[in-house]
Amino acid sequence: MRRGAAMPEGKAAFQEVLPKQGQLSVEDTASLVLCKPKVLPLKSVSLEKLEALQRAALAAAAPRPPEEGAQPPEETPQPQPQA
Protein backbone atom coordinates (compact mmCIF):
# COMPACT_ATOMS: atom_id res chain seq x y z
CA MET A 1 0.00 0.00 0.00
CA ARG A 2 1.18 3.44 -0.78
CA ARG A 3 1.24 6.01 1.95
CA GLY A 4 -0.54 9.22 1.30
CA ALA A 5 -2.95 7.72 -1.28
CA ALA A 6 -6.53 8.03 -0.08
CA MET A 7 -8.86 5.02 -0.47
CA PRO A 8 -11.96 5.86 -2.51
CA GLU A 9 -15.22 5.36 -0.61
CA GLY A 10 -18.65 4.10 -1.64
CA LYS A 11 -19.34 2.90 -5.19
CA ALA A 12 -16.18 4.52 -6.47
CA ALA A 13 -14.16 1.94 -4.49
CA PHE A 14 -15.04 -0.76 -7.03
CA GLN A 15 -14.49 -0.35 -10.74
CA GLU A 16 -16.91 -2.20 -13.00
CA VAL A 17 -15.32 -4.48 -15.58
CA LEU A 18 -17.48 -5.91 -18.39
CA PRO A 19 -16.06 -8.57 -20.71
CA LYS A 20 -15.99 -7.70 -24.40
CA GLN A 21 -16.05 -11.34 -25.52
CA GLY A 22 -17.57 -14.54 -24.09
CA GLN A 23 -20.44 -15.02 -21.73
CA LEU A 24 -21.57 -12.69 -19.06
CA SER A 25 -22.66 -14.53 -15.92
CA VAL A 26 -25.29 -13.12 -13.63
CA GLU A 27 -25.84 -14.29 -10.06
CA ASP A 28 -29.32 -15.39 -9.11
CA THR A 29 -31.35 -13.16 -6.92
CA ALA A 30 -32.49 -14.36 -3.52
CA SER A 31 -35.59 -16.52 -3.73
CA LEU A 32 -37.69 -18.57 -1.37
CA VAL A 33 -36.33 -22.00 -0.51
CA LEU A 34 -38.88 -24.53 0.67
CA CYS A 35 -37.85 -26.93 3.39
CA LYS A 36 -39.31 -30.27 4.45
CA PRO A 37 -42.55 -29.93 6.41
CA LYS A 38 -42.15 -30.53 10.11
CA VAL A 39 -44.31 -33.19 11.74
CA LEU A 40 -46.24 -31.64 14.60
CA PRO A 41 -47.95 -33.70 17.30
CA LEU A 42 -51.73 -33.69 17.23
CA LYS A 43 -51.82 -33.18 20.98
CA SER A 44 -49.41 -31.07 22.96
CA VAL A 45 -47.49 -32.51 25.88
CA SER A 46 -49.35 -30.30 28.35
CA LEU A 47 -52.72 -31.43 26.97
CA GLU A 48 -51.69 -35.09 27.37
CA LYS A 49 -50.65 -34.39 30.98
CA LEU A 50 -54.01 -32.71 31.68
CA GLU A 51 -55.90 -35.65 30.19
CA ALA A 52 -53.86 -38.11 32.29
CA LEU A 53 -54.65 -36.11 35.44
CA GLN A 54 -58.33 -36.03 34.52
CA ARG A 55 -58.40 -39.80 33.93
CA ALA A 56 -56.68 -40.36 37.29
CA ALA A 57 -59.20 -38.11 39.05
CA LEU A 58 -62.14 -39.92 37.41
CA ALA A 59 -60.68 -43.29 38.37
CA ALA A 60 -60.23 -42.16 41.99
CA ALA A 61 -63.80 -40.83 42.16
CA ALA A 62 -65.40 -43.94 40.60
CA PRO A 63 -66.91 -46.47 43.05
CA ARG A 64 -64.70 -49.52 43.49
CA PRO A 65 -66.05 -53.06 43.14
CA PRO A 66 -66.08 -55.01 46.43
CA GLU A 67 -62.90 -56.91 47.16
CA GLU A 68 -62.91 -60.69 47.42
CA GLY A 69 -63.52 -61.96 50.95
CA ALA A 70 -65.06 -58.68 52.04
CA GLN A 71 -68.64 -58.81 53.28
CA PRO A 72 -71.14 -56.82 51.27
CA PRO A 73 -72.70 -53.92 53.15
CA GLU A 74 -75.99 -54.85 54.79
CA GLU A 75 -79.01 -53.16 53.37
CA THR A 76 -81.39 -51.50 55.71
CA PRO A 77 -84.99 -52.54 55.16
CA GLN A 78 -87.12 -49.92 53.48
CA PRO A 79 -90.45 -49.11 55.13
CA GLN A 80 -93.40 -50.55 53.18
CA PRO A 81 -96.02 -48.05 52.07
CA GLN A 82 -99.37 -48.46 53.83
CA ALA A 83 -102.20 -49.35 51.50
Side-chain angles (χ1 to χ4, degrees):
M1 265 172 103
R2 292 185 282 165
R3 292 184 188 240
M7 295 285 294
E9 292 183 27
K11 288 187 176 184
F14 300 102
Q15 184 179 5
E16 212 175 74
V17 177
L18 295 174
K20 297 193 179 181
Q21 292 180 350
Q23 279 187 324
L24 177 64
S25 65
V26 178
E27 291 184 24
D28 288 336
T29 59
S31 62
L32 293 176
V33 177
L34 300 177
C35 61
K36 292 181 183 177
K38 301 202 177 352
V39 179
L40 298 175
L42 294 177
K43 291 185 178 181
S44 67
V45 174
S46 58
L47 179 61
E48 287 180 359
K49 286 181 183 178
L50 274 174
E51 287 178 344
L53 286 173
Q54 189 176 23
R55 281 193 299 269
L58 285 174
R64 294 184 187 176
E67 295 178 9
E68 289 183 32
Q71 294 182 357
E74 293 182 21
E75 293 183 21
T76 57
Q78 298 290 328
Q80 298 293 327
Q82 299 285 329

